[in-house]
Amino acid sequence: SPQPYALALCLLSIFSIFIVELTAFRWGTAKLAKLGLSHDAHGHEVGSHVAHGPEGNMVADASSSTKEKDLESADSHHKSHQLLDDAFAQIVGVAILEFGVALHSVLIGLTLAVDEDFKVLFVVLVFHQTFEGLGIGSRLAYMQLPQKYNYVPIIAAILYGLTTPVGIAVGLGVRTTYNPGTATASIVSGVLDAFSAGILIYTGLVELLAHEFLFNKEMMEGSNSKLVYSIGSMLLGCALMALLGRWA
């Protein structure tokens, strides 16, 4: 009977990405702690527009204008560091998504270059990569980063655009020697696909469902119609990708 190696590798991938993200946030928190700052590891306050703790009350209660200025300055300093904090969380989250999508896209390009049924696969992958590009593009477009990090989304977008062509180039280069039907090719492709699937599952559940919905105050405190629209859009995207999976 066939062994569920793909599922095991997918699970390994999920835990690996979890450990990578955990390590990254621990490292980031330690760096910020040296500066005397706190780290909102998963950006729970991103987009929430909440007052930052006691500063608001303290400013209201302060009797002297000097105290008010000092506290306003401290509040401004805290908010600027909160932005850096949130930027770090966003960059790590998008980096994980980008890595999963990039690996997946290279494999797709490789498959396209060596597959005999080129026409059908080409049409399906054009739509697939378009929807995937819209997904990662929207994440990149809504990143709220300090001005000096504005180049990050641009680099990420260029990287996504290059991954599938790179895969196609590799596929064309090895087309004469690479036979996708051999056991070795199937194992290598299967292992990489399983790892890619784990990364994308983790991203979908943690970065999208958890952070964009459950931990997002704008979403949790927003109107029911906005929430229904957002969930509907997500389910529609899932349905479209599942439909494309029928041919690819």
Side-chain angles (χ1 to χ4, degrees):
S1 63
Q3 299 298 317
Y5 288 117
L7 298 177
L9 289 169
C10 182
L11 186 63
L12 177 63
S13 173
I14 289 170
F15 278 112
S16 297
I17 290 298
F18 165 69
I19 291 167
V20 167
E21 187 174 29
L22 187 66
T23 303
F25 281 125
R26 291 267 298 180
W27 174 79
T29 303
K31 285 281 185 186
L32 289 166
K34 285 182 180 178
L35 301 171
L37 306 170
S38 63
H39 184 51
D40 176 26
H42 272 164
H44 294 184
E45 291 182 12
V46 177
S48 59
H49 308 299
V50 293
H52 288 278
E55 289 97 321
N57 296 333
M58 289 169 71
V59 171
D61 295 340
S63 56
S64 70
S65 60
T66 307
K67 278 185 181 178
E68 282 186 16
K69 284 176 184 176
D70 288 344
L71 289 165
E72 282 172 6
S73 175
D75 187 37
S76 173
H77 179 72
H78 175 79
K79 284 177 180 175
S80 69
H81 285 302
Q82 182 68 39
L83 279 173
L84 286 172
D85 223 3
D86 294 340
F88 177 78
Q90 288 178 73
I91 288 172
V92 171
V94 171
I96 290 170
L97 172 62
E98 180 86 20
F99 180 67
V101 167
L103 177 60
H104 181 55
S105 297
V106 169
L107 293 172
I108 279 175
L110 179 62
T111 305
L112 183 64
V114 298
D115 199 286
E116 296 300 321
D117 198 8
F118 174 83
K119 289 181 181 177
V120 174
L121 194 59
F122 177 73
V123 172
V124 171
L125 293 187
V126 165
F127 283 100
H128 177 278
Q129 293 302 92
T130 300
F131 293 137
E132 207 167 60
L134 286 170
I136 196 167
S138 62
R139 285 294 302 273
L140 294 171
Y142 280 96
M143 287 177 80
Q144 296 173 331
L145 303 176
Q147 196 165 355
K148 65 177 180 177
Y149 293 117
N150 279 351
Y151 65 90
V152 172
I154 297 167
I155 290 175
I158 293 170
L159 184 65
Y160 173 74
L162 292 175
T163 48
T164 305
V166 164
I168 293 170
V170 171
L172 291 173
V174 299
R175 187 176 174 84
T176 53
T177 56
Y178 177 81
N179 182 358
T182 63
T184 304
S186 296
I187 290 168
V188 172
S189 177
V191 167
L192 292 174
D193 276 337
F195 267 98
S196 179
I199 295 166
L200 295 174
I201 288 169
Y202 180 90
T203 300
L205 294 176
V206 178
E207 305 297 344
L208 175 63
L209 292 183
H211 295 170
E212 300 297 333
F213 285 88
L214 293 176
F215 299 148
N216 187 340
K217 289 189 179 182
E218 274 189 359
M219 195 64 71
M220 295 308 287
E221 295 174 4
S223 64
N224 288 336
S225 58
K226 181 182 179 181
L227 186 61
V228 169
Y229 174 75
S230 299
I231 293 173
S233 299
M234 182 182 67
L235 293 177
L236 177 62
C238 181
L240 288 170
M241 294 302 262
L243 181 65
L244 291 174
R246 185 189 182 283
W247 293 283

